[in-house]
Amino acid sequence: DCQSASEIVIFGAMGDLSCRKLLPALYQLEVCGLINKDSRIVGAARQDHTLEEFRNVVVDSLNKYVKETIDETVLTRFTNRLVYQSLEFKDSSSFSKLSDAIAGGNETRVYYFSTPPAIYGDICKGLHHASLITDVDRVVMEKPIGHSLESSIAINNQVSEYFNENQTYRIDHYLGKETVLNLLVLRFANSLFTNNWDRNSIDHVQITVAESVGIEGRWGFYDEAGQLRDMVQNHLLQILSLLAMEPPADLSADSVRAEKLKVVKALKAINRENIKDKVVRGQYGDGFLNGISVPGYLNEEGANANSNTETFVAIKAEIDNWRWKGVPFYLRTGKRMPKKHSEIVVHFKQQPHNIFKDSYSDLPANKLTIRLQPDEGVELQMMNKIPGIASQMRIQENKLDLSFSDTYHDERVVDAYERLMLEVLNGNQSLFVSRDEVEAAWVWADSIIEAWNTTNEVPKPYAAGSWGPVSSISLIARDDRQWVE
Ligand code: BG6
């Protein structure tokens, strides 16, 4: 059944994220009958537009970004919900127009902030000024929530003056991905993994989030952030937390978020003393992708030729607790890598004794590969006997492979935003990041950035279309290990 009626107000409704992700996600929920019949979708943005113009933008976005054929009946139902209101975000008095636009509607409101975070505080003030905030309303915040601990505290403080933590939904869209959610199932619905998930069984873990895209016309924004702030502080740490956390008592927001927080807090600090051994910072130069020549970061449109912003990071992360002592988590993520490819590889320990020396002098260890995207799936590398009469046993490394597209070919692939939007409407915070988590993640990331600054660390070059700087290979090779290709 669909949740109770609420007004869904999107600030920055004409922006890229809204058109690409939020509106298509809401449309898909409409298709599934998961939006209450009385809910309205209110677009709020700076520009003056008629409702008709807003509708056209919405329909164009759906045609462009929804993969399935648009159902005309559903589309009519969806567009009938639309309301548009132009607002001067910095002028609180203009919010009375919003109040008029949604007067007489539902009592619960979901406010989705899809604007630059610098104006989150202004929007809150405006909503308050127009008496549009009650205890049952919800606020959804997009990243980046700050670019450091200090700035994230400032943003969270501005919003928390008006909304309680239990009304605040901080998005990390990786938490809405099917394969990331499946980590919970894999770890806690399978005793095989639940019982072999620690320093006694696992040698190390690799997490790769590679993207083939470059900066895609947002050089100015990206250059202020860099890959550590843009991807590691949030997405990679969330994956790491789900992988490494203690079993939560249940799936409630309180239980899951408390366990994830403990992982981030237990991360060993990386600072100027140890940064050279733990982190590789890279920046792509000119190169080739799929045979096509692509410009380096400093030659992208709008680039400042002197930038030292990183587009790649590899990190040896260590979790200082009972479960993970001595088990490194190698993380790497970058732009302009050979392909879009994200996966987790859990390397189990080698057998202590080998009775198959005649066939294999060095028995390979089991590996569990969780393919996050694309080609989602789970794969277990294991040893198997090659059938045959030969008296000497011949064995071989092979795999059990659960491909999601083959196994669940009748199921539609749900986009992360669809899942997250539904959770907001249902009032479930489990898949959203708590303030404590955001802040703990900044403490760890800030220390790396400070170490880069104090040691004048300049990013190492790598060719666009490669797997990163050579030193990222040495980072793991120093420990007698290697990245899985
Ligand atoms: C965003 C980052 O949060 O995630 C982008 O700002 C990045 O730089 C994107 O490209 C990656 O998301 P996905 O879902 O394509 O892996």
Side-chain angles (χ1 to χ4, degrees), residues 35-284:
I35 304 187
N36 187 289
K37 67 178 186 13
D38 295 325
S39 288
R40 283 186 293 182
I41 299 170
V42 185
R46 282 220 177 88
Q47 309 90 327
D48 276 326
H49 283 296
T50 61
L51 176 58
E52 202 46 41
E53 286 165 341
F54 179 51
R55 258 195 204 144
N56 291 339
V57 170
V58 173
V59 173
D60 286 350
S61 306
L62 299 182
N63 282 324
K64 201 160 161 195
Y65 297 114
V66 173
K67 289 191 202 91
E68 295 78 15
T69 319
I70 300 286
D71 179 314
E72 289 303 322
T73 320
V74 177
L75 182 66
T76 309
R77 205 160 66 224
F78 187 71
T79 53
N80 282 344
R81 300 178 184 276
L82 298 175
V83 175
Y84 184 77
Q85 183 58 60
S86 70
L87 284 180
E88 197 41 67
F89 293 146
K90 287 190 183 299
D91 173 12
S92 291
S93 62
S94 84
F95 280 72
S96 57
K97 291 192 284 182
L98 182 62
S99 177
D100 295 342
I102 57 181
N106 300 296
E107 278 174 13
T108 316
R109 283 155 302 218
V110 169
Y111 296 118
Y112 200 115
F113 292 181
S114 176
T115 65
I119 54 175
Y120 290 174
D122 295 323
I123 302 176
C124 290
K125 273 192 206 134
L127 290 173
H128 174 71
H129 188 264
S131 305
L132 282 172
I133 304 178
T134 69
D135 284 353
V136 293
D137 294 334
R138 294 167 202 155
V139 61
V140 189
M141 285 199 268
E142 268 297 332
K143 75 180 259 277
I145 299 182
H147 58 273
S148 61
L149 175 64
E150 198 185 340
S151 51
S152 92
I153 290 177
I155 294 170
N156 279 321
N157 280 351
Q158 285 167 359
V159 175
S160 69
E161 263 186 59
Y162 304 95
F163 294 93
N164 299 322
E165 181 65 15
N166 66 8
Q167 297 175 273
T168 308
Y169 293 70
R170 292 180 196 80
I171 296 261
D172 183 313
H173 77 281
Y174 270 59
L175 290 178
K177 290 183 189 272
E178 288 288 356
T179 44
V180 175
L181 284 173
N182 193 45
L183 292 175
L184 291 168
V185 182
L186 188 85
R187 285 197 56 198
F188 305 120
N190 297 295
S191 66
L192 172 66
F193 298 125
T194 310
N195 297 331
N196 289 289
W197 208 257
D198 60 15
R199 60 192 298 268
N200 298 315
S201 306
I202 293 178
D203 177 75
H204 75 282
V205 178
Q206 298 182 14
I207 305 176
T208 298
V209 178
E211 295 182 273
S212 57
V213 292
I215 299 311
E216 298 189 297
R218 45 174 204 151
W219 203 91
F221 161 80
Y222 184 85
D223 197 59
E224 293 282 306
Q227 198 72 354
L228 185 81
R229 291 187 177 99
D230 189 45
M231 294 293 289
V232 180
Q233 186 272 347
N234 35 70
H235 308 322
L236 274 90
L237 285 192
Q238 284 298 325
I239 296 174
L240 174 72
S241 306
L242 287 171
L243 265 182
M245 70 181 180
E246 296 302 313
D250 51 40
L251 285 176
S252 68
D254 282 353
S255 304
V256 175
R257 301 199 302 182
E259 295 307 340
K260 284 194 294 156
L261 174 64
K262 286 184 210 160
V263 174
V264 182
K265 286 198 160 175
L267 279 172
K268 193 167 177 171
I270 295 177
N271 50 37
R272 56 186 303 178
E273 269 79 55
N274 59 10
I275 190 154
K276 291 256 178 289
D277 298 329
K278 311 270 184 217
V279 182
V280 173
R281 188 182 194 201
Q283 187 186 72
Y284 64 86

